[in-house]
Amino acid sequence: MSYLGLPPIPPDLKSITPYLQRAHETRTQDPIISYWCAYYAAQAGISLKAISAPNRAFLGALLTTLENLRSAVGSSDAITVESASSAYVENFATRVFASADNEDTRGVATRTTAKKFLAAATFLDVLNVFEDRGPWEAHEEKIRYAKWRAADISKALREGRQPTPVSAGG
């Protein structure tokens, strides 16, 4: 699948797919989050040092798309000031996490709840791109929990049973 109008992701860069998927999903709803997800994907892709021609071409296209996203957002502290950017991403990610967690603790978890948990984990991972590691480190456990709950809920639904809710604070 193509995200953000980019060519298909080369096999060596598949690990950045979740970030591009989230960037694509949020591009109209929240262009700032879309930008930071794409930015994280670019940083992660570059750090893989996958230097083949298809990888370089893809990363070049991603960098062009990233500049277009930045231009579309315009002047915003949530793009240009790191502390504001980090807080913006953190607030967005924790809202997505809280939405999934509320559904889960109420005992009404669905496939959508599992997807929200995975999305929250991805958005929280984006905090890793900022120089101040404090916000990301503060949410490391939440990231693991979100991935675990997404897998647990998905497994229960595949087995044809209602997922067992986790009590608040569990």
Side-chain angles (χ1 to χ4, degrees):
M1 175 165 196
S2 174
Y3 300 110
L4 300 173
L6 292 165
I9 301 168
D12 293 342
L13 300 176
K14 286 293 183 194
S15 62
I16 68 173
T17 301
Y19 307 99
L20 292 176
Q21 180 181 9
R22 300 299 169 221
H24 185 80
E25 291 169 354
T26 59
R27 70 191 183 286
T28 54
Q29 169 198 357
D30 197 322
I32 293 170
I33 292 297
S34 180
Y35 170 82
W36 283 112
C37 289
Y39 185 90
Y40 185 83
Q43 291 296 316
I46 291 166
S47 74
L48 291 172
K49 297 181 181 6
I51 57 171
S52 71
N55 295 338
R56 283 196 321 268
F58 180 83
L59 290 172
L62 175 55
L63 292 175
T64 300
T65 297
L66 194 56
E67 283 304 311
N68 293 338
L69 287 170
R70 187 180 182 121
S71 295
V73 169
S75 179
S76 170
D77 285 353
I79 296 289
T80 58
V81 178
E82 180 160 321
S83 59
S85 303
S86 178
Y88 190 94
V89 172
E90 183 177 19
N91 288 336
F92 184 87
T94 55
R95 281 195 316 267
V96 174
F97 179 88
S99 174
D101 198 43
N102 288 339
E103 289 174 14
D104 190 26
T105 56
R106 286 194 330 263
V108 294
T110 63
R111 287 204 192 290
T112 301
T113 308
K115 288 178 182 179
K116 283 182 190 178
F117 271 125
L118 278 180
T122 301
F123 294 133
L124 288 167
D125 265 343
V126 170
L127 290 170
N128 214 355
V129 80
F130 299 108
E131 195 170 309
D132 178 6
R133 307 271 298 151
W136 181 81
E137 289 168 352
H139 294 291
E140 272 186 288
E141 186 147 332
K142 194 176 280 185
I143 293 166
R144 283 191 298 276
Y145 175 81
K147 290 177 181 179
W148 169 73
R149 280 310 291 158
D152 193 52
I153 291 167
S154 295
K155 180 181 178 192
L157 294 171
R158 267 193 319 276
E159 293 172 352
R161 59 182 175 83
Q162 184 62 27
T164 305
V166 175
S167 61

